[in-house]
Structure formats: structure tokens, C-alpha cells
Amino acid sequence: MFSGLGRFVVKHPWLVIGAWLIAIVAVVATAPKLTATTEQSDFLPSHYESIQAMKLQEQAFPNSAPPAALIVFAREDGQPLTEQDSATVASVAGKLGELNVPDVTGIQVTPPSENHAVQIIAVGMTKVTAPDDTRQQDAVKDLREDLKTQVAGTDLKAGITGQAAQTLDQVESSEKALAIVGIATILLILILLLIIFRSPVIALLPIFVIFAISPLTNGLIGWAAEAFDLKIDSSIQALLLVVMFGVGTDYILFLMFRYRERLRAGDDPKTAMVGAVTRVGEAITSAAAAVIIAFGALVLSTLGMFRAMGPALAIAVAACLLAGLTLVPAIVSLMGTKVFWPSKAWQHEPKGARFAAIGRGMGKRPGVFAVASGGVLVALGVFAFGFHPTFDMTSGATSDTTESAVYSKELLEGLPAGTTQPSQVYLHSETGQPLQESALTDYGVALAGVQGVGQVSQPLLSEDKLTAEYQVTLSNAPESDAALDTVRGPLRDAAHGSVPAGTTAEVGGMTSVFVDFQHAMNRDYKVVFPVAAVLIMLVLALLLRSFVAPWYLIASVFLGFAATLGAAVLVFQNMQGESGLIFNLPIIMYLFVVALGTDYNILMVARLREEAKEGNDPHTSAALAVRHTGPTIAAAGLILAGTFASMMLSGNSMMSQMGFAISVGIAIAAFVMALFFTPAVTALIGKKAWWPGHGGDADAQHQEWNDHSWTQSHYDVERDPARW
């Protein structure tokens, strides 16, 4: 199959390139625009209480909503607000109202806090109706500009926080992060490929190819999102960029290393490319299949953000695979050896290669390598038991220096931490009888008595008097562990247990959404992880025709996952003192480390099987596999880990944690698992690793290949063992 594909591409390169150009233009011209949402409630199924509360609010109070933004005032000198200061605040509110800022529906001054540290103006805005609806964000921009003018020359400082302002800062932070990650990724790929191949042509090849296919990929994802009503999280777009450059470059590297190897063996350029596609095609297709399956398993998630992330990333990987097997060979077949210009290093096998020495040591003492590499994984994995999740997705997605973050902290000087995003409790009559005032008062008292609740507003009645809304301000920040514990336990218990006869209650608000998120995530851990593992094992079994190898390969990947999580806990929780890691980090880590880590395991074990089928004993096979595949895995791992590490430059903790964890996981997968643990364990198990197949036995097809196309590197090793 791959031999035929390679011959077709090399014979008809312009046809292949033309087909890609037509496909790109057609998709870009017809596909819907890829939009993103930052509204976390968009990602939860409708049966959760927080979503039920939202639906009840929309039915009973269609024109009512918590303030979209809060303008926070405090004195520049840090002293308590005076009566004159409060008068200034009222004046500012009046002038802002006279400006008739578009989509601002109301401006209301509230009294100063009890300690007179802060005073706020609550701002109502037009409700957001779609993921790409930016009216609230635009209103915040306008208000911020006007606010600067109004406060200038007074003793006050002021800034805007609240949901709309936090969303604006998050979007701007994401755009900045995307630009930083993109630039850092491209520079890293260019520099590393220049070092590895000493050729600007090869260094630019992945950049050119990925840029060319990116519009097509975005279009396909847009179609999928529209067809299946997928909610695209804003963080997916940054991940898409990194995945495409990282994975795409990996697949191109796998191909180019084998192409160079065939050239060094004496093949002409076209024959070398056909041989490269033939030999590496099955391995990278299996590796891509493992990644696609792992990402595809996310469709089983109850969370819309992961159901959207899975297909999006799977489409990106599939596009990179197809380009790596068709577009890249077509381009290289037209250029021939000029692709290595101006370097001549491709003509000669390097002498005294480090990986040859590592391979020699591996062949002699596989047990030592297995114990040492396994020990590193276990030692780091121990720290994983200290993992603590945090649901602070809003501040985690922006810098601490943004206006919304700064004035959220300022707000804490005088008001409960939950003021920016209060929870809501909805009491609803099931009998059709209007709610009684005495019952409403008693119910409000019950809510106010809950530990962890700072304030409870007077109930707001719907027009039909069948539903009442209570604004419940928590004592702790809405995304904090303490706030989640309050809503999950005592608040929901009191809300449901204190209802008057004939009524029901629903607890809503962002903290309630986070509580339901946690419940959904725990369910996803139990479903998505095992399904992805089983499907990846099936891919490995089909590739290797073995029942034994997939078990220890997937076990090694699980060890790598534990080690990665442990490293993140060690750095962020133990060393930096953060309260926890972003709650969805384990599932993202799992999918990237398991999927992309399996990439390198597949590449290594495919070469191990190839060497075994050429008649080498298990120890020699391990030595030769490390010698020939080690440079490829090291280069690919370095580039892929580096591209994800660039996310640490984004300036927010969520992207930093993701970038660190994924890059460390890939480094562990490449430099510990694939280079040492997998070949060492395979050498120890011997031919039984390929049972019930015959991967450990030479066959006629491979022997025929050996007879007419034995690589120069093998020949050199047999002539001069010192070359190892």
C-alpha cells in the first residue's frame, strides 16, 4: 500500500501538489468561520443543576441578569472613602449614563462597603447570544476609555471587573498568547532544523507546509463544529497551532530521516523517497492513528469543550499525516538532494555517533537501562498523588496584571470575594399558586444562614409570581475551593431542604457551573481514559501483529503520564506554592502524553521489529534500533516538546501549566520511554515480545530487501564494530 502510494506521488508530484491547492481553495471558499466561546456553561449537558437554573432564569426573568461589569472605586492613597468621594462616584455614574454607551442597559451606584474601602457601580449590558457576540466586550472597552476621563483629576482610582471585563481580558490575553506561541514555535522549528540538517530549505519546509494546510484544517474543523454543534473553546485554537506545527514537523522529520538514510545507502533520490514512504509510512500512519483515536475518544466526554477539542485536534493530525505522506514527498521528489542545500552531510554516515554508543550499551546491558529509566518514571510518578485541581479558569486564563484581575483584588478590600460573580438560587412554585411573602422571607433567612455565604439579596419575583430569584454572594472567590465546597454542600443542601411545600429550587451561577464541571470531569476520567487506552492497544496490536508488546508499551505510557503529572505537581504546587493545577490538565496531559508518547514508542518498536525481521537477535535489534531511530526520536521530541514549551511564554498560568506539563510529558516519552525503556524491555523479553506473530524471525521479503538494499550503516557496523 505505502509502496504504491510512494511510487504514485514520486511519479506525479505536480498532480499531487495541484490536488492539494484545489482542496485548500475549495475548503477555504466554502467552509464556515471557526469561532470560539469562552462561556463555560456552554460546555455542560442540560441535565446539570447549574444549566437547569440558567433555563429557569431565562424563562422567568428574560430581561434580568446579574451585572455584566462592576466599576470599582477606591482612593489613590488607600484611605477610606469620604462623602465627597461618594459624591464623585455618583457624578461619574451619571456622566457615564449620559454617554449612552452602546449595549449598556443600566448603571446603578451602590453604597460604599462597610469599611468604606471601595464603592462600586453595577453595569447591566445586553445579554450575549452567541459565541462570537462581542457586544459586552466592546461596551467594556468604551467604558474603560470614558472612565479614564471621568476619574482624571480626582483622588480616586477606578477600574472595571466582572464577567464581561474578565471575558474581554481573557480574549485579549488568548490573542496575545497565540501570537507569542506562534512566533516562538516557528523560530524554534527553524533553529532546531537548521542545527539538525544545516539546510535552510528543510528548515523552511515544515513551516511552508503547515501554513499551507492550516486554512484547510480550520475549514474542516469549522464544518465539523457546524454539523455536530460543537462548542469550540478559545484555548483549542492555540493548541491547534502547536499541534499542527509540532506533529506535522515530527512526521516530516520521520520521513526526511529515512529519506536521508536511503540516500546514504546508495539509492537515487526518487527511489530513496519511494523507499522512505514505504518504510516509514506504516509507522507514522499507525502513530497518527493512535493520536487520532486518543483525541477521538474525547467525543465520549460529557463536556462540550472536550467533545469539540477531540474532533478538532484529530482533524488537524489527519491533515498533517496526509500532507506528510503526499505533499511533502511530492515537493522533495521535485527538489531531489537540493533539499539538503547547502549541506553535504547527507552523503555520509556520521562517525562515532552518540546513539551508536548508546545502542551498544543497550545491547549489552538492557536490564540496567530498563531499571534506570523505569526508576526515573516511578520517582516522578510518586508526586502525582499530591495533585490538587483548581477551577480558577478565569484568572488562570489571564495575567495578574490585567485590569479585571487587579480590581477583583481591590474589591476584596471591602466586599465579599463572590461579589464579581454571585450565585443565584431560584425558588419555583410547582402548584401554579403564587409564592407567599412570608415563605420567601423565611427561605431567604435559611440561605443567609449557610456557612460560606456573605450576603443574600431580597427576592426578585417574576411577573407571574411563580419564581423568585435570590442573589447569593459567597464569602470566597467564586472559583475557589472554599466556594465550590459551599455550593456543592451546604448551599445546595439548604436550597433544596428548606423549600416551602409545593416548590422546588435550583442553584445557578458560575460557581455552580464549576461544581458540575467537577462532577462531569470525574465521570470522564472513568470513561475516556480506558477507552482511549484500549483503542491505542488495538492499533499497536495491528501494527506489530503482537499480543504481548502492546501491554508493556501502553504500561510504559501510563508510567510516563504519572511521571508527567508528578513533575507538574512538583514544580507548580510544591516549588511555586500554587494551590493546585488547572482541573482539566490531567485529561489534556493524558491525551497528549499517551497519544504523542505512543508516537515515539511506535516509531521505535516498528524499527525494533524491522531489525528483528532482518535476522538480528533481540539485543542486536535493540542496539541497531537505537542507533538508527534514536536521532529521529531525539530531534522530533526536542522540537515537539519545544513547541509546547512555547506556551509557557503566554503570560497566564493556565497556558503555562499546560505548556510545561505537555512539553515535559513529550520529553519523557521521547528521551526516557522510547529511547531507553521500550527498547530495553523489548530486548529483555526477546522474541516473545512479538507473539503470536513472527516479528522476531527474518522473512523472505525482508531478506530480499537486505540482499539488494542493505544500508551502508549496517555494512559499516559489520566491517568495523568500533563504529558503534
Side-chain angles (χ1 to χ4, degrees), residues 539-605:
V539 171
L540 292 170
L542 290 173
L543 169 67
L544 303 174
R545 286 81 167 173
S546 166
F547 178 77
V548 176
W551 286 97
Y552 69 82
L553 290 176
I554 204 70
S556 72
V557 174
F558 273 114
L559 277 175
F561 166 75
T564 303
L565 182 58
V569 170
L570 178 64
V571 170
F572 289 100
Q573 291 183 206
N574 295 359
M575 292 183 178
Q576 295 189 8
E578 295 189 11
S579 61
L581 302 175
I582 298 299
F583 79 98
N584 57 358
L585 188 62
I587 196 166
I588 293 175
M589 271 175 38
Y590 172 87
L591 290 164
F592 279 97
V593 174
V594 169
L596 301 179
T598 304
D599 257 16
Y600 302 128
N601 262 346
I602 286 176
L603 191 66
M604 176 58 75
V605 81

Side-chain angles (χ1 to χ4, degrees), residues 106-170:
I107 293 179
Q108 182 178 359
V109 181
T110 65
S113 60
E114 290 186 8
N115 62 1
H116 287 264
V118 296
Q119 186 171 2
I120 65 174
I121 297 175
V123 182
M125 293 182 180
T126 304
K127 188 173 182 180
V128 173
T129 58
D132 56 350
D133 187 344
T134 62
R135 287 179 294 176
Q136 287 191 356
Q137 298 172 39
D138 295 337
V140 171
K141 290 180 183 178
D142 292 339
L143 284 173
R144 282 178 171 172
E145 288 298 321
D146 295 332
L147 184 62
K148 290 178 183 177
T149 303
Q150 301 300 329
V151 176
T154 71
D155 295 327
L156 300 176
K157 59 181 179 180
I160 303 178
T161 185
Q163 183 64 43
Q166 290 170 341
T167 299
L168 171 63
D169 290 341
Q170 182 179 343

Side-chain angles (χ1 to χ4, degrees), residues 286-353:
S286 299
V291 178
I292 291 169
I293 285 172
F295 290 155
L298 285 173
V299 299
L300 300 175
S301 172
T302 57
L303 294 172
M305 64 185 298
F306 289 125
R307 285 201 308 275
M309 180 185 291
L313 297 180
I315 289 170
V317 172
C320 290
L321 171 67
L322 190 59
L325 290 178
T326 58
L327 182 58
V328 174
I331 295 172
V332 174
S333 67
L334 290 173
M335 300 185 68
T337 57
K338 293 179 182 178
V339 75
F340 297 105
W341 180 88
S343 174
K344 302 293 184 182
W346 63 271
Q347 297 175 350
H348 309 288
E349 180 80 13
K351 297 182 179 181

Side-chain angles (χ1 to χ4, degrees), residues 449-502:
V450 173
Q451 185 174 3
V453 170
Q455 297 175 355
V456 177
S457 70
Q458 292 297 314
L460 174 66
L461 275 175
S462 60
E463 290 185 5
D464 58 11
K465 300 188 184 303
L466 296 180
T467 305
E469 177 189 73
Y470 295 84
Q471 294 287 335
V472 179
T473 303
L474 303 176
S475 302
N476 300 285
E479 69 282 349
S480 66
D481 292 336
L484 266 68
D485 289 340
T486 297
V487 170
R488 182 188 301 108
L491 181 57
R492 281 187 173 177
D493 289 344
H496 298 151
S498 303
V499 293

Side-chain angles (χ1 to χ4, degrees), residues 58-105:
E58 291 173 351
Q59 294 170 2
F61 306 97
N63 299 318
S64 172
L70 300 175
I71 305 177
V72 182
F73 292 83
R75 284 187 61 88
E76 286 279 9
D77 57 12
Q79 296 300 311
L81 295 167
T82 65
E83 290 186 5
Q84 180 61 41
D85 293 329
S86 293
T88 302
V89 172
S91 174
V92 170
K95 292 178 181 178
L96 290 176
E98 292 172 359
L99 292 172
N100 294 319
V101 176
D103 297 301
V104 172
T105 58

Side-chain angles (χ1 to χ4, degrees), residues 503-518:
T503 64
T504 59
E506 304 287 355
V507 179
M510 189 54 64
T511 306
S512 186
V513 169
F514 288 150
V515 169
D516 291 338
F517 252 80
Q518 189 174 47

